[in-house]
Amino acid sequence: MKLPFANFSLDALELRLAQISERERRIVAIGALLAPLLLVVGVLLPLDHSVAQTHARLLKKRTDLEWMQGVAGELRAAPQPPGTAGESLLVIVDRSARESGLAGALAGSEPAGPQALSLRLQKAPFDALIIWLGRLAQQNGIRVDSATIDNAGVPGQVNAALVLHAG
């Protein structure tokens, strides 16, 4: 099988260029100048930028990992958040929701396993919800296992489905 460009020669190219009109020669010349420019600007520069961003992100993640590994021992040695002696997870969550002004947004709760609670909140103020979850973690050692947060149709208010876990 013979490839169409196997017999390529500059003489054949010059002959073909001589056969086309002056206008077409200018178009070919402009195209020959613009093609490498388009390749560089349209492909190579964005690709280089993307690679540079990826390298920067990777460097930041490595730096973060080194820092986390450095403080891991300190975190293990730090005192754990105080538990509330004898109170169930439901009681702690209900009390802290009332204290945070979220009692009216609580739409339901049910056990989600040992030391876990599934909650639904409707039209809860987003800022208050996030502060409440942070306080639960900090003061009671209760963490969020999963969360689904959707817009409630009113700016600043959300509907949320949460699974909280004690311990």
Side-chain angles (χ1 to χ4, degrees):
M1 179 166 104
K2 197 169 195 184
L3 297 174
F5 52 85
N7 292 334
F8 176 77
S9 73
L10 288 176
D11 293 333
L13 184 60
E14 287 177 19
L15 180 62
R16 179 68 182 127
L17 280 174
Q19 293 174 347
I20 61 175
S21 71
E22 181 63 29
R23 180 175 181 256
E24 290 174 334
R25 269 187 244 134
R26 275 185 281 174
I27 292 172
V28 169
I30 291 170
L33 292 173
L34 288 180
L37 181 66
L38 288 174
L39 177 67
V40 168
V41 172
V43 176
L44 297 178
L45 287 178
L47 184 61
D48 181 57
H49 180 69
S50 175
V51 168
Q53 281 182 328
T54 302
H55 280 292
R57 242 183 14 248
L58 181 62
L59 180 61
K60 182 178 178 347
K61 289 182 187 249
R62 283 184 179 157
T63 304
D64 290 346
L65 176 62
E66 288 173 10
W67 177 82
M68 284 186 230
Q69 288 172 336
V71 299
E74 291 176 40
L75 292 175
R76 282 188 202 103
Q80 297 298 316
T84 308
E87 287 186 318
S88 72
L89 179 59
L90 178 61
V91 171
I92 296 169
V93 168
D94 185 59
R95 184 185 66 244
S96 65
R98 278 186 273 115
E99 291 169 358
S100 296
L102 292 170
L106 280 175
S109 64
E110 58 188 55
Q115 295 296 314
L117 185 66
S118 176
L119 297 173
R120 286 184 330 275
L121 292 100
Q122 293 181 339
K123 295 185 180 177
F126 179 76
D127 293 342
L129 174 65
I130 298 303
I131 292 169
W132 174 61
L133 292 173
R135 199 169 71 219
L136 277 174
Q138 194 172 40
Q139 293 176 355
N140 304 99
I142 298 171
R143 71 174 193 272
V144 177
D145 276 347
S146 68
T148 303
I149 300 174
D150 298 310
N151 185 349
V154 177
Q157 290 189 348
V158 295
N159 295 328
L162 307 168
V163 176
L164 304 178
H165 189 270

